[in-house]
Amino acid sequence: MEFRERIARYLETKLPDCRNVEVENLVRIPGGASRETWSVDVRWTDGSGTVRRQGLVFRCDPPASLVRSRREVEFAFYRSFYGSRVPVPRPLWLETEPGGLERPFFVMERVDGCESDFQKLLEPDFAPHREALAERMYSILGEIAKTPIENLPAAEVVDIPDASSCWRLELDFWERTIDENELEPQPIARAAIRWLRRHPPPAAQRVSVVHGDYRTGNFLYRGAEIHAILDWEMAHFGDPLEDLAWSLMRSWQWARDGKAGGIVEREKAIAIWERESGLRADPAALHWWEVLACVKAQGIWLTGARVYQLGEARDVILAFTSYWLMNAQDRFLLEALGRLGPV
């Protein structure tokens, strides 16, 4: 049975009073290496005889990926923020067993008329929107940081750490990731890990939702407005400085001009986040999380390299991303540790 037909049969069980379900324009969305993402247009006739149409997105587990994550966690964070001041697509259905599509997946409403490509942010004709988009980007990140967590749907499936252990849990996790996936010694990452353990940050000012991959390229925008924050597969509860540090990382300074995401000066981004979150970005604590961000990124690139090398997956994005970024990440780590000046 073709993938398109499997989707149609699945939707017949989910859409209310439906018949004559047709799946059109089935397209795999390029990019993203932790889920296979498919866009579809669905047309069906409801119980009153009205023909309805809806754009949907299916997020399916791939054979292997850059990030190993539980799809029920990602779905829970979408549920946690849908209808809030943090814009996300409407989450619809979660399937944790292979079932009709022969692998676990979840479904969201598609947000149309927007762009996600970070490269377009660097084009001259986008220049008038950059300042306002940066304001929106870091205001939303501050909103995530100040959202009360106790009654969120995500709290039902994700452990909430105490404030003093946030840094240790993340460092332990990414050290294990490097242990399990390195194909050759990683002396620079190991030196960074030793430094991180010798210089622990203070306890988190607040235990918050951490998106885990908050950066340009992971939201849908139109002009200066952001319409959906995407890619919550690494989301967890922890120190909100983790997200801020990740967004500032050199890997995402696409224009190589020192601007976060290619759109905003570091100091401006921090000021917006502090104003919106009500928290302080202590320079020493933020620096610790920036070094950790580089270790985390290297763990992700190493994972992609390993699954491709071992033949667990043949998606070219795994090989390309790892080849493109592994050596660069070592350089960024040395810069963060003060052992190498910016190039």
Side-chain angles (χ1 to χ4, degrees):
M1 187 186 302
E2 292 186 358
F3 190 49
R4 183 190 307 272
E5 187 177 351
R6 291 183 183 278
I7 289 176
R9 290 198 175 184
Y10 173 75
L11 292 175
E12 286 173 356
T13 70
K14 294 295 182 180
L15 297 171
D17 299 323
C18 73
R19 53 192 171 86
N20 303 325
V21 174
E22 296 181 32
V23 173
E24 303 170 337
N25 303 319
L26 175 63
V27 177
R28 184 173 177 184
I29 299 174
S34 62
R35 298 274 190 273
E36 284 186 11
T37 304
W38 295 85
S39 170
V40 300
D41 292 315
V42 183
R43 183 172 63 184
W44 73 98
T45 304
D46 67 16
S48 69
T50 302
V51 176
R52 298 190 177 276
R53 292 176 174 83
Q54 177 67 60
L56 300 176
V57 170
F58 283 72
R59 293 270 281 168
C60 306
D61 281 16
S65 71
L66 289 174
V67 179
R68 293 170 185 153
S69 60
R70 296 158 50 205
R71 89 272 330 148
E72 61 265 32
V73 170
E74 184 177 4
F75 189 77
F77 278 103
Y78 278 111
R79 288 182 58 218
S80 295
F81 284 106
Y82 180 69
S84 76
R85 293 177 63 187
V86 177
V88 297
R90 181 187 177 193
L92 295 174
W93 309 297
L94 168 70
E95 304 295 340
T96 59
E97 300 297 328
L101 300 190
E102 299 185 330
R103 49 192 158 157
F105 63 94
F106 65 86
V107 187
M108 305 181 291
E109 286 188 355
R110 193 177 64 215
V111 178
D112 291 329
C114 296
E115 181 64 69
S116 64
D117 187 356
F118 64 83
Q119 294 178 330
K120 292 188 181 296
L121 302 175
L122 309 181
E123 295 177 358
D125 61 357
F126 194 80
H129 302 297
R130 286 186 197 130
E131 183 176 352
L133 183 72
E135 173 77 26
R136 185 74 178 119
M137 175 182 174
Y138 282 93
S139 292
I140 292 173
L141 186 58
E143 186 68 33
I144 293 172
K146 72 182 181 184
T147 298
I149 64 176
E150 290 75 15
N151 296 317
L152 295 180
E156 300 172 7
V157 296
V158 181
D159 292 335
I160 300 176
D162 63 78
S164 63
S165 65
C166 294
W167 71 269
R168 185 180 295 104
L169 291 171
E170 286 304 298
L171 179 55
D172 289 350
F173 177 85
W174 292 107
E175 183 176 17
R176 284 196 307 274
T177 299
I178 292 174
D179 291 343
E180 294 167 1
N181 291 284
E182 64 180 357
L183 295 170
E184 58 187 9
Q186 298 294 318
I188 296 174
R190 298 295 178 182
I193 290 168
R194 291 193 297 271
W195 183 90
L196 289 164
R197 293 204 183 278
R198 288 197 303 266
H199 303 87
Q205 300 166 74
R206 176 191 302 145
V207 177
S208 303
V209 171
V210 176
H211 177 279
D213 196 11
Y214 196 89
R215 57 179 176 84
T216 51
N218 277 349
F219 54 74
L220 296 176
Y221 65 91
R222 183 167 57 247
E225 184 53 54
I226 293 174
H227 292 270
I229 305 298
L230 306 176
D231 296 313
W232 292 78
E233 63 268 26
M234 289 196 289
H236 56 280
F237 296 112
D239 190 327
L241 283 178
E242 180 183 347
D243 265 345
L244 179 61
W246 183 258
S247 77
L248 299 171
M249 189 169 59
R250 279 265 279 138
S251 299
W252 321 132
Q253 293 176 14
W254 310 113
R256 297 294 181 256
D257 58 359
K259 292 183 178 179
I263 62 172
V264 62
E265 299 290 348
R266 171 190 176 89
E267 293 75 16
K268 178 66 173 177
I270 293 171
I272 297 168
W273 180 86
E274 287 184 322
R275 184 198 68 217
E276 190 64 33
S277 69
L279 302 174
R280 178 172 180 265
D282 174 75
L286 181 58
H287 176 242
W288 189 96
W289 283 105
E290 288 182 279
V291 175
L292 187 278
C294 291
V295 170
K296 169 181 171 178
Q298 195 67 294
I300 293 171
W301 316 144
L302 291 169
T303 301
R306 181 181 183 279
V307 298
Y308 192 84
Q309 176 84 4
L310 298 182
E312 296 175 10
R314 284 300 180 191
D315 193 329
V316 70
I317 193 173
L318 300 173
F320 173 74
T321 304
S322 299
Y323 174 79
W324 177 37
L325 287 172
M326 280 169 55
N327 290 336
Q329 202 65 54
D330 274 344
R331 186 171 74 249
F332 299 156
L333 253 175
L334 288 171
E335 290 177 10
L337 291 167
R339 300 302 180 93
L340 182 70
V343 176

Coordinates of all heavy atoms in Angstrom, one line a residue, residues 202 205-206 239-241 244 270 273-275 277-286:
P202 N 25.6 28.7 38.6 CA 24.7 28.7 39.7 C 23.4 28.0 39.4 O 23.1 27.7 38.2 CB 24.4 30.2 39.9 CG 24.7 30.8 38.6 CD 25.8 30.0 38.0
Q205 N 17.7 30.3 37.9 CA 16.8 31.3 38.6 C 15.4 30.8 38.6 O 14.6 31.1 39.5 CB 16.9 32.6 37.8 CG 18.3 33.2 37.7 CD 18.3 34.3 36.7 OE1 17.8 35.4 36.9 NE2 18.9 34.0 35.5
R206 N 15.0 30.0 37.6 CA 13.7 29.5 37.5 C 13.8 28.2 36.6 O 14.5 28.2 35.6 CB 12.8 30.5 36.8 CG 11.3 30.0 36.5 CD 10.6 31.0 35.6 NE 10.5 32.3 36.2 CZ 10.6 33.5 35.5 NH1 10.7 33.4 34.1 NH2 10.5 34.6 36.0
D239 N 17.1 25.0 32.9 CA 17.5 26.4 33.0 C 17.2 27.2 31.7 O 17.8 26.8 30.7 CB 19.0 26.4 33.4 CG 19.5 27.8 33.8 OD1 18.9 28.8 33.3 OD2 20.4 27.9 34.6
P240 N 16.4 28.2 31.8 CA 16.1 28.9 30.5 C 17.3 29.6 29.9 O 17.3 29.9 28.7 CB 15.1 30.0 31.0 CG 15.3 30.1 32.4 CD 15.7 28.8 32.9
L241 N 18.4 29.8 30.6 CA 19.6 30.3 30.0 C 20.1 29.3 28.9 O 20.9 29.7 28.0 CB 20.7 30.5 31.0 CG 20.6 31.7 31.9 CD1 21.8 31.7 32.9 CD2 20.6 33.0 31.1
L244 N 18.7 30.5 25.6 CA 19.3 31.8 25.2 C 20.7 31.5 24.6 O 21.1 32.0 23.5 CB 19.4 32.8 26.4 CG 20.0 34.1 26.1 CD1 19.2 34.9 25.0 CD2 20.1 34.9 27.4
I270 N 20.0 39.7 24.2 CA 20.0 39.4 25.6 C 19.1 40.4 26.3 O 18.3 40.0 27.2 CB 21.4 39.5 26.2 CG1 22.3 38.3 25.6 CG2 21.4 39.4 27.7 CD1 23.7 38.4 26.0
W273 N 15.4 39.5 25.8 CA 15.1 38.3 26.6 C 15.0 38.6 28.1 O 14.0 38.2 28.7 CB 16.2 37.3 26.4 CG 15.9 36.0 27.1 CD1 15.2 34.9 26.7 CD2 16.5 35.6 28.4 NE1 15.2 33.9 27.7 CE2 16.0 34.3 28.7 CE3 17.3 36.3 29.3 CZ2 16.3 33.7 29.9 CZ3 17.6 35.6 30.5 CH2 17.1 34.4 30.8
E274 N 15.9 39.4 28.6 CA 15.8 39.8 30.0 C 14.5 40.6 30.3 O 13.9 40.3 31.3 CB 17.0 40.6 30.4 CG 18.3 39.8 30.5 CD 19.5 40.7 31.0 OE1 19.6 41.9 30.6 OE2 20.3 40.2 31.8
R275 N 14.2 41.5 29.5 CA 13.0 42.3 29.7 C 11.7 41.4 29.7 O 10.9 41.6 30.5 CB 12.9 43.4 28.6 CG 11.7 44.3 28.7 CD 11.4 45.0 27.4 NE 10.9 44.1 26.4 CZ 11.2 44.2 25.1 NH1 12.0 45.1 24.6 NH2 10.7 43.3 24.3
S277 N 11.5 38.0 29.9 CA 11.5 36.8 30.9 C 11.4 37.2 32.3 O 11.0 36.5 33.2 CB 12.7 36.0 30.6 OG 13.9 36.6 31.0
G278 N 11.9 38.5 32.6 CA 12.1 38.9 34.0 C 13.3 38.3 34.7 O 13.4 38.4 35.9
L279 N 14.1 37.7 33.9 CA 15.3 37.0 34.5 C 16.6 37.8 34.1 O 16.5 38.7 33.2 CB 15.5 35.6 33.9 CG 14.3 34.7 34.2 CD1 14.5 33.3 33.5 CD2 14.1 34.5 35.7
R280 N 17.7 37.5 34.7 CA 19.0 38.2 34.4 C 19.9 37.2 33.7 O 20.0 36.0 34.2 CB 19.6 38.7 35.6 CG 21.0 39.4 35.3 CD 21.5 40.1 36.6 NE 22.8 40.7 36.2 CZ 24.0 40.1 36.4 NH1 24.1 38.9 37.0 NH2 25.1 40.8 36.1
A281 N 20.5 37.6 32.6 CA 21.5 36.7 32.0 C 22.9 37.0 32.5 O 23.6 37.8 32.0 CB 21.4 37.0 30.5
D282 N 23.1 36.5 33.7 CA 24.4 36.6 34.4 C 25.5 36.2 33.4 O 25.5 35.1 32.8 CB 24.5 35.8 35.6 CG 25.9 35.8 36.2 OD1 26.2 36.8 36.8 OD2 26.6 34.8 36.0
P283 N 26.5 37.1 33.1 CA 27.5 36.8 32.1 C 28.2 35.5 32.3 O 28.5 34.7 31.3 CB 28.4 38.0 32.1 CG 27.6 39.1 32.6 CD 26.7 38.5 33.6
A284 N 28.6 35.2 33.5 CA 29.4 33.9 33.8 C 28.5 32.7 33.6 O 28.9 31.7 33.0 CB 29.9 34.0 35.2
A285 N 27.3 32.8 34.1 CA 26.3 31.7 33.9 C 26.0 31.5 32.4 O 26.0 30.3 31.9 CB 25.1 31.9 34.7
L286 N 25.8 32.6 31.7 CA 25.5 32.5 30.2 C 26.7 31.9 29.5 O 26.5 31.0 28.6 CB 25.1 33.8 29.7 CG 24.7 33.9 28.2 CD1 23.6 32.9 27.9 CD2 24.4 35.3 27.7

